Amino acid sequence: MVFTNAANGAILGGADGTYFIDCTNLTTTNIIVNASGYTLTSSVPVTVNNTIRAQALSVATGKTFTIGTNVTVQGSVNNVVIQQDNSYAGTLIIDNGGRFAHNNASSIQFGGGPGTKIRILTGGFLGQVNGTFGGGYRFGNAAGSSPEVSVEGGVLFVGSSTAFNVGNTASSTGTVTVVSGVVSNNLNATVLAAASPSVGVVNLDGGTFYTKQVVKGNAAGTATLNFNGGTLAASAASTAFLGGLDVVNVRNSASIINNAGFNITISQSLAHSAIGGDSAPDGGLIFTGSGTTFLTATNTYTGPTVVTNGVLSLGTSGLINSSSQIAVNSGGTLVLSNRLFLNSSGSFSLTDGTVQLNINNFPTNIVTGTFATAGSANVINIPIIIGSGSIPQATPLIKYTSLAPGVVDGNNNLTTLSAVLPSGFGGYLSNNVAKQTIDLVLTTGNLTPQITANPVSITRYQGLTAQFSVTALGADAYFWRSNGVFLSDGGNVSGSQTNLLTLSNVSANANYDVVLTNSSGSVTSTLASLTIIIPANYAATNLSLSPVSYYRFSETDNSQPAYDYVSGKDGV
């Protein structure tokens, strides 16, 4: 069958069967398919242009239609629509060199009733071909529509769109499933449930989904992301890469979160799947990419956690305590600023991996069932050590129920595990057989408080308020001094034994510092000066009005910041 002229539209009907339509370059208003088995094909590349926006291509319920080898069906008007209304609920297949493309600065809209499916098979392509794609992709373009786009080896390419809305319209349901192949949404957020109410679902069953972030569009919608063997890859740095969805299910197959060299934050809880029939434990998650992935929520998935070729940071609030196995492999770093527990039946392993302990003031940082090491060099990195007592001392870092073979040799020496300590400290790791712990034994160093931000010099008007602050780790007490004399609260002084000193009604220049102490000793901050100036002229007039703040900018050097000369709200 030859398809050469359809300027008024093409209706493909008759009995279901197998029909290969040999195409040439042509223009048609729209294509409507009422029977199964039609495939557009060509021996050379050809383009079928659609010219009606609301009826670009529609496949009847229960029927299938294939765009095959060398054929591009191309929308050339605004808002190209696949499945013009909910009475169509068939399957469009894009396969083996077939393409559905849009070359106009507007949207591709996906409609159709329940059962509608667009399958992009190996060699198939759906997406933008040139220009600015202002209208984006809209999955679920009308109330009651329920399309699913399934990427099965092909490519769904978004390009320079402004939207990728899954569940676009009120009372619609949109679904994007990746079985294999690629979804390339590199320049946009993926918005699930964009309208009130709507349903947006992304299923990652395989392949790779690239996006700037995944978010929920409307509070009244339902947004779901299912991990089940696919890869979610970042295309930009984001402090809100994944968050605000109703649920993120970790299902049966191991899935990958790839930061792709960017720093990304996931505030969403990554949950063990509650979908009926799913396994317990689930497939777990693999974290990779040369950037840093931050988890800030309590995550409840129960399968393995694998860190490789990048950094996974739990910060002070992230938890993966439900994970049955944690493995930090070659090139991987797990950063802990919180206590990490594992089930006694679980395991924690390092294979040429690194664990960084940002706060070393817990009795134990890691509690696990089986502890294992492999490879040639595993590291526990401790950039800051604070605490009390005297040195030498031993602090348990890892509490285990059993050691895997090879962690220690016949003389109880750790074979591949060592510690990196901050400057000024010396020590080593030791296996405490009696307590079943890996201990950090400090042999040299100073456990006095560590100042991370010294007080800074300030200038204030006479009679107003000045504040000095210090930030430190491990301080049990603070003692502020003025010109070397210890202060006490009273008169115009408050906070003299806290990290924030407040001076009201200031009148004289002075130097201030603070002595910080704990049971191991003391440390003194650098000096910060208070300079008093007397307001005159315009400044005096302003201050007579008792402003909450009074910022003065340098009019000769725009690189200088503005300072609040009244209440110290510099930079606020």
Side-chain angles (χ1 to χ4, degrees):
M1 183 181 295
V2 179
F3 190 8
T4 60
N5 187 8
N8 295 318
I11 298 176
L12 306 178
D16 293 349
T18 301
Y19 307 101
F20 289 95
I21 303 177
D22 190 5
C23 294
T24 62
N25 289 310
L26 58 95
T27 297
T28 179
T29 55
N30 62 318
I31 299 173
I32 296 177
V33 180
N34 291 324
S36 287
Y38 286 97
T39 298
L40 302 186
T41 186
S42 177
S43 59
V44 296
V46 298
T47 299
V48 178
N49 278 306
N50 284 134
T51 60
I52 292 185
R53 53 183 279 182
Q55 302 176 8
L57 198 159
S58 296
V59 182
T61 301
K63 307 303 180 181
T64 62
F65 174 67
T66 300
I67 302 173
T69 304
N70 286 328
V71 176
T72 296
V73 176
Q74 179 171 285
S76 57
V77 295
N78 292 340
N79 300 333
V80 170
V81 177
I82 298 176
Q83 303 293 61
Q84 60 181 285
D85 59 48
N86 295 344
S87 65
Y88 290 88
T91 298
L92 167 63
I93 299 172
I94 307 170
D95 186 21
N96 192 30
R99 296 161 60 88
F100 187 98
H102 188 25
N103 68 348
N104 196 280
S106 192
S107 65
I108 294 181
Q109 300 183 16
F110 301 83
T116 295
K117 197 164 189 176
I118 296 92
R119 300 177 63 200
I120 310 171
L121 306 187
T122 301
F125 173 93
L126 189 156
Q128 173 196 4
V129 292
N130 59 57
T132 301
F133 200 26
Y137 284 62
R138 303 175 186 179
F139 303 89
N141 71 334
S145 61
S146 186
E148 178 183 6
V149 175
S150 180
V151 181
E152 304 171 32
V155 175
L156 175 59
F157 179 74
V158 182
S160 56
S161 174
T162 58
F164 190 90
N165 295 343
V166 184
N168 179 74
T169 304
S171 301
S172 71
T173 297
T175 303
V176 175
T177 298
V178 188
V179 178
S180 58
V182 174
V183 175
S184 177
N185 186 29
N186 289 315
L187 302 178
N188 313 280
T190 298
V191 180
L192 308 185
S196 171
S198 62
V199 176
V201 180
V202 170
N203 298 310
L204 295 180
D205 297 339
T208 302
F209 193 123
Y210 292 94
T211 186
K212 290 175 67 175
Q213 59 182 161
V214 183
V215 297
K216 183 177 179 179
N218 192 288
T222 302
T224 302
L225 172 63
N226 294 315
F227 283 107
N228 195 24
T231 297
L232 181 64
S235 59
S238 177
T239 57
F241 178 69
L242 180 57
L245 308 187
D246 290 278
V247 65
V248 173
N249 288 308
V250 180
R251 301 191 64 190
N252 301 327
S253 298
S255 299
I256 299 171
I257 296 177
N258 182 0
N259 61 47
F262 300 104
N263 293 340
I264 60 173
T265 298
I266 298 175
S267 60
Q268 179 79 40
S269 175
L270 307 174
H272 173 64
S273 174
I275 298 173
D278 277 2
S279 302
D282 50 56
L285 292 168
I286 300 168
F287 295 90
T288 189
S290 59
T292 299
T293 300
F294 297 91
L295 301 184
T296 63
T298 297
N299 302 284
T300 61
Y301 65 90
T302 57
T305 299
V306 179
V307 185
T308 181
N309 295 323
V311 178
L312 175 64
S313 175
L314 300 186
T316 58
S317 59
L319 292 174
I320 52 175
N321 294 347
S322 298
S323 181
S324 57
Q325 304 172 44
I326 295 179
V328 185
N329 294 337
S330 179
T333 298
L334 176 64
V335 180
L336 302 177
S337 299
N338 200 351
R339 194 169 182 176
L340 172 70
F341 294 88
L342 294 179
N343 297 327
S344 60
S345 60
S347 65
F348 187 97
S349 65
L350 297 170
T351 304
D352 293 325
T354 298
V355 176
Q356 180 171 310
L357 303 179
N358 279 348
I359 298 180
N360 180 36
N361 61 350
F362 297 116
T364 306
N365 285 284
I366 299 168
V367 177
T368 185
T370 299
F371 177 63
T373 58
S376 59
N378 297 286
V379 174
I380 296 179
N381 179 25
I382 307 173
I384 296 175
I385 294 178
I386 58 176
S388 59
S390 59
I391 292 177
Q393 67 169 251
T395 300
L397 300 182
I398 301 172
K399 171 68 176 176
Y400 59 82
T401 301
S402 63
L403 285 182
V407 175
V408 295
D409 61 19
N411 296 317
N412 197 38
N413 296 311
L414 294 166
T415 57
T416 65
L417 184 63
S418 62
V420 174
L421 305 181
S423 176
F425 285 89
Y428 58 92
L429 297 178
S430 174
N431 178 42
N432 189 322
V433 176
K435 294 183 178 180
Q436 293 182 300
T437 58
I438 304 297
D439 293 346
L440 169 62
V441 180
L442 291 176
T443 56
T444 59
N446 191 337
L447 294 174
T448 55
Q450 297 189 31
I451 296 173
T452 58
N454 279 285
V456 296
S457 298
I458 55 176
T459 300
R460 293 291 180 265
Y461 282 112
Q462 185 181 53
L464 298 179
T465 298
Q467 290 184 316
F468 293 96
S469 66
V470 66
T471 304
L473 299 172
D476 295 330
Y478 302 82
F479 302 95
W480 286 93
R481 302 188 302 185
S482 174
N483 295 330
V485 177
F486 285 103
L487 298 172
S488 60
D489 287 359
N492 74 327
V493 177
S494 62
S496 62
Q497 296 186 16
T498 71
N499 71 317
L500 179 64
L501 174 68
T502 300
L503 306 170
S504 61
N505 193 27
V506 294
S507 60
N509 296 340
N511 292 321
Y512 293 85
D513 61 7
V514 58
V515 179
L516 301 88
T517 67
N518 64 15
S519 60
S520 298
S522 65
V523 63
T524 302
S525 73
T526 58
L527 286 173
S529 63
L530 171 62
T531 301
I532 303 299
I533 57 176
I534 298 174
N537 303 323
Y538 180 71
T541 300
N542 286 333
L543 292 174
S544 69
L545 301 175
S546 300
V548 173
S549 297
Y550 177 43
Y551 288 89
R552 292 179 59 195
F553 295 84
S554 170
E555 297 180 358
T556 60
D557 183 357
N558 292 330
S559 69
Q560 296 297 316
Y563 295 102
D564 174 14
Y565 285 79
V566 172
S567 55
K569 299 177 180 178
D570 299 340
V572 177

